């Protein structure tokens, strides 16, 4: 895929993730506190986690289905090339369970951090800052790996 294609994919992910994040953190927006920047950032991250996690789960389920098909069947159209060498169905079942757990826990953590960031409790705001710091650290590590 060309860089332009990836830019479209990223833009579509952000456009879909923003409403999902707002819906998952709706009590923050309904309450109408004065703080908006950090809760909006954390809500967007919540939506991105849910959308990307859902895409990953769907890819794992489809790969699982393709591995289980009979060798004599006609090849199915797929975005991912999957063969018997890639693993057995137990591997994909484990991958689906792992992705569901990780996606759910990360979405819960980010949604709660969004609520803490919009609140008045200093302890909750400290936790929201720690979550943002952890995100920045992981992002920095990823950028360092790319460099």
């Amino acid at each position: 895929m060309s860089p332009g294609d990836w830019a479209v994919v990223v833009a579509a992910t952000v456009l879909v993730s923003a409403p999902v994040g707002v819906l998952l953190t709706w009590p923050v927006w309904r309450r109408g506190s004065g703080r908006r920047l950090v809760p909006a950032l954390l809500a967007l991250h919540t939506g991105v986690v849910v959308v990307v996690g859902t895409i990953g789960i769907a890819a794992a389920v489809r790969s699982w289905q393709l591995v289980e098909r009979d060798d004599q069947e006609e090849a199915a159209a797929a975005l991912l090339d999957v063969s018997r060498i890639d693993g057995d169905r137990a591997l994909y079942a484990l991958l689906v369970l792992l992705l569901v757990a990780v996606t759910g826990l990360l979405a819960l953590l980010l949604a709660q951090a969004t609520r803490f960031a919009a609140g008045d409790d200093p302890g909750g705001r400290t936790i929201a800052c720690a979550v943002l710091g952890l995100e920045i650290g992981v992002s920095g590590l990823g950028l360092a790996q790319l460099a």
Side-chain angles (χ1 to χ4, degrees):
M1 288 178 63
S2 71
D5 294 339
W6 282 111
V8 169
V9 168
V10 169
T13 302
V14 170
L15 286 175
V16 170
S17 299
V20 169
V22 168
L23 287 174
L24 289 172
T25 58
W26 186 248
V28 170
W29 308 111
R30 190 177 57 194
R31 190 171 45 197
S33 98
R35 297 175 186 92
R36 291 285 183 221
L37 180 63
V38 174
L41 181 65
L42 287 170
L44 178 65
H45 290 180
T46 304
V48 168
V49 163
V50 170
V51 169
V52 171
T54 303
I55 291 169
I57 291 166
V61 167
R62 183 62 181 148
S63 299
W64 185 2
Q65 292 170 347
L66 291 174
V67 165
E68 283 186 338
R69 71 178 165 79
D70 188 23
D71 288 335
Q72 304 303 326
E73 289 182 30
E74 184 179 331
L79 294 174
L80 302 173
D81 292 329
V82 178
S83 68
R84 299 254 187 244
I85 297 172
D86 291 332
D88 59 354
R89 61 182 179 220
L91 172 73
Y92 289 108
L94 182 63
L95 184 60
V96 168
L97 290 175
L98 179 70
L99 284 172
V100 166
V102 168
T103 300
L105 290 173
L106 281 176
L108 180 66
L109 172 74
L110 289 169
Q112 193 62 37
T114 303
R115 292 185 78 178
F116 284 159
D120 294 328
D121 180 35
R125 294 184 58 125
T126 302
I127 291 171
C129 287
V131 169
L132 278 174
L134 182 65
E135 284 185 336
I136 290 169
V138 171
S139 299
L141 181 64
L143 288 173
Q145 292 293 325
L146 283 174

